[in-house]
Structure formats: C-alpha cells, structure tokens
Amino acid sequence: MSILENRKALSDAVWQVAEAAGYLWTKGWAERNGGNITVNVTEHVDDDMRAMPALSEPREIGFVLPHLKGCWFYCKGTQKRMRDLARDPMANGSIIRITDDCAHYEIVADSIVNPTSELPSHLSVHNYLLAKGSPYRASLHTHPIELVAMTHTNRFLEKDVATNILWSMIPETKAFCPRGLGMVPYMLAGSKELAKATIEAIDDDYDVVMWEKHGIFAVDVDVMAAFDQVDVLNKAAQIYISAKNMGFEPDGMTQAQMRELSDVFGLPK
Ligand code: 2HA
Ligand code: ZN
C-alpha cells in the first residue's frame, strides 16, 4: 500500500509536483534527470506516518539545519527524470524526514529512492525560509533555455540588469515576479557554496535566482506558484530574444510605465 493512500492532502501535494514536473518536461527545461523539486509536506503528515519505520539508515545532509526539526519533505529522486516523475511520483521521488539531530534524513516512503543531488541546497533554503517565518513550502530548480542563455554574458549578471529588461518586456512579468531575478555566479552544482550563495540571494529579497550557465532556483508557497514565476520570467526572456532575432533591441516599457504598474497593483518595491 502506498504511503499516499488515505492521505488526501499529502497525495494532492505530491501529485501537484507530478503535474509541475510534466510541465517542465513539456517546456524543454528538464532534459534527462535535469532539475529538482522539494516540497515541505510536514503539515500533511499524521501520527501513523510519524510512527512508521524508516526504509533507510539516517544519511548526512551536510549541514545542521535546526529549523527542520520534525520536518518532512517530498523530493525528486537523484538521476530520476521529470517526465517519469510526472507519471509516477513515488517511484521517481521519495518522502524523507529530518532526524532529531537536524543533520540527517531518512527515507519513509514506498521504496528507497535516493533524493536529489541538490538536497543540501534545497534543505538549507527550506531551513532559511522556516527561520524567517516564510509561508513558502516549495523549491524548484530547472533549466529554462532562454534564461540560461542570458546568463552567458556578464552584462546580464550585474545586479538587476536582467530583471529590468525582463520586467519591461510585458506587464505580467513585474506583476507576477515583483521581486525580480537574483543572480548567483557560476559554482559547482550540488555544492555547499552554491547553497550558501542561493540563500544569500533569497535573503536579498528574491524569490527566484539564476545560477550562472546552469539554471534557475525558485521558492514559493507551493510548487505551482514557483513554476509560474519561472514560466513568466522565461516568457519575458523569449520575447526579448524574439525581438533581437528580428534584428532590433526591444524598447521595453518605460520606467514610468513600470512604476505605474507597481503603484496600481501595490507591488513590493
Ligand atoms: O538534479 O539539475 O543541478 C539535476 C540537476 C542538478
Ligand atoms: Zn541543474
């Protein structure tokens, strides 16, 4: 019997990840095992589940994350494909619980599926979010083509240069990604340094950050909201690139037009 059976809220949360994973594949952002998703599902865990034996021995996270005490996460499996997760989330991802020392996790799921290689960065971001009292429960990493292409020049890595171009392409971008796009310089995938730099960027008040020449990392209340932010930003990047492909530098909305948008919609400054 699956751990999701008779647990509607947990099942809904896991199947929402599956839906988002399908979109990532369809968008062309999730080649092979590319990308990862983790969702804090603690609120959906009941006493029976808490009493279940672990399928795995405790494994080291690599960090001590005190705010994750008693927390549970759904995580994409390492080497698993988003397109497979879309069909079968429990064979291509697993549920883990953080042990009381806040330095290890164990798998409590349908079978042993080892979590994503980006687990240290994902979990340290969740730890940071909980410490801050944030309502965000999901983190998403994927490889959106046009946004990654934009990180291949230093011009767009300077603070808020890309953000301002993307905001100015279509009003929706500022309305739905009002904090813009942070930039993290190239660092090895899965490294502690990348995790640390990602948190610093999120702490600088970004919900979405680019990892230079690699991909994007987004946090939000749930995985669909995180996906939407990436989708909106990448759409703006596509419009920018389409204009460039027609042979001109797009004018973009003016600063005054963008200020008007912020005032009328009450967007964060
Ligand atoms: O998990 O995208 O950055 C596959 C990746 C690592
Ligand atoms: Zn990646």
Side-chain angles (χ1 to χ4, degrees), residues 73-121:
F73 294 89
Y74 172 81
C75 323
K76 174 184 167 284
T78 188
Q79 297 297 329
K80 300 295 187 190
R81 292 167 168 80
M82 288 291 180
R83 64 178 191 260
D84 294 333
L85 195 157
R87 281 185 289 107
D88 192 347
M90 292 308 290
N92 295 281
S94 68
I95 296 175
I96 62 168
R97 71 174 163 225
I98 308 301
T99 57
D100 283 345
D101 65 1
C102 300
H104 296 77
Y105 69 89
E106 45 194 26
I107 297 174
V108 185
D110 296 353
S111 61
I112 294 184
V113 176
N114 297 322
T116 160
S117 58
E118 298 285 1
L119 196 68
S121 39

Side-chain angles (χ1 to χ4, degrees), residues 31 33-36 76-80 116-118 141-143 189-190 194 211 214:
E31 74 293 339
N33 63 314
N36 30 68
K76 174 184 167 284
T78 188
Q79 297 297 329
K80 300 295 187 190
T116 160
S117 58
E118 298 285 1
H141 163 60
T142 189
H143 303 158
L194 181 58
W211 292 345
H214 177 174

Side-chain angles (χ1 to χ4, degrees), residues 6-268:
N6 301 319
R7 292 193 175 89
K8 178 158 173 22
L10 180 66
S11 175
D12 287 350
V14 169
W15 279 99
Q16 193 187 60
V17 176
E19 185 182 343
Y23 298 152
L24 299 179
W25 165 251
T26 309
K27 288 268 179 193
W29 300 346
E31 74 293 339
R32 201 174 179 275
N33 63 314
N36 30 68
I37 298 174
T38 58
V39 180
N40 185 338
V41 294
T42 313
E43 63 179 318
H44 310 310
V45 170
D46 54 41
D47 288 343
D48 283 350
M49 222 172 125
R50 272 186 282 270
M52 283 179 185
L55 298 181
S56 74
E57 76 294 354
R59 295 155 180 203
E60 227 168 285
I61 299 169
F63 291 111
V64 181
L65 302 169
H67 297 277
L68 298 191
K69 200 179 175 101
C71 281
W72 294 66
F73 294 89
Y74 172 81
C75 323
K76 174 184 167 284
T78 188
Q79 297 297 329
K80 300 295 187 190
R81 292 167 168 80
M82 288 291 180
R83 64 178 191 260
D84 294 333
L85 195 157
R87 281 185 289 107
D88 192 347
M90 292 308 290
N92 295 281
S94 68
I95 296 175
I96 62 168
R97 71 174 163 225
I98 308 301
T99 57
D100 283 345
D101 65 1
C102 300
H104 296 77
Y105 69 89
E106 45 194 26
I107 297 174
V108 185
D110 296 353
S111 61
I112 294 184
V113 176
N114 297 322
T116 160
S117 58
E118 298 285 1
L119 196 68
S121 39
H122 280 253
L123 290 183
S124 45
V125 167
H126 285 290
N127 183 69
Y128 164 84
L129 293 170
L130 290 173
K132 242 183 57 171
S134 164
Y136 289 1
R137 292 293 176 266
S139 63
L140 164 73
H141 163 60
T142 189
H143 303 158
I145 301 164
E146 290 81 3
L147 285 171
V148 175
M150 285 179 76
T151 69
H152 282 262
T153 176
N154 283 334
R155 184 184 152 210
F156 294 136
L157 298 176
E158 281 167 37
K159 190 171 168 62
D160 294 337
V161 172
T163 294
N164 275 295
I165 289 174
L166 296 171
W167 276 349
S168 77
M169 288 297 105
I170 176 170
E172 270 71 7
T173 315
K174 188 157 203 210
F176 298 118
C177 305
R179 296 192 162 81
L181 184 58
M183 290 289 169
V184 170
Y186 182 85
M187 287 174 211
L188 185 67
S191 65
K192 286 189 186 184
E193 290 68 31
L194 181 58
K196 198 166 157 275
T198 303
I199 289 173
E200 281 166 10
I202 292 172
D203 193 47
D204 203 14
D205 210 27
Y206 294 107
D207 292 340
V208 191
V209 299
M210 283 308 295
W211 292 345
E212 180 188 344
K213 302 181 182 106
H214 177 174
I216 199 163
F217 190 95
V219 289
D220 212 315
V221 288
D222 60 30
V223 68
M224 216 44 84
F227 169 79
D228 279 334
Q229 292 214 54
V230 177
D231 192 25
V232 165
L233 286 163
N234 199 66
K235 171 68 159 279
Q238 287 176 315
I239 294 168
Y240 176 73
I241 291 166
S242 299
K244 297 283 279 187
N245 283 345
M246 285 187 279
F248 61 87
E249 181 73 26
D251 293 339
M253 297 154 57
T254 64
Q255 292 297 321
Q257 288 166 338
M258 292 200 280
R259 265 195 308 277
E260 177 190 35
L261 197 68
S262 294
D263 292 343
V264 173
F265 287 90
L267 303 176

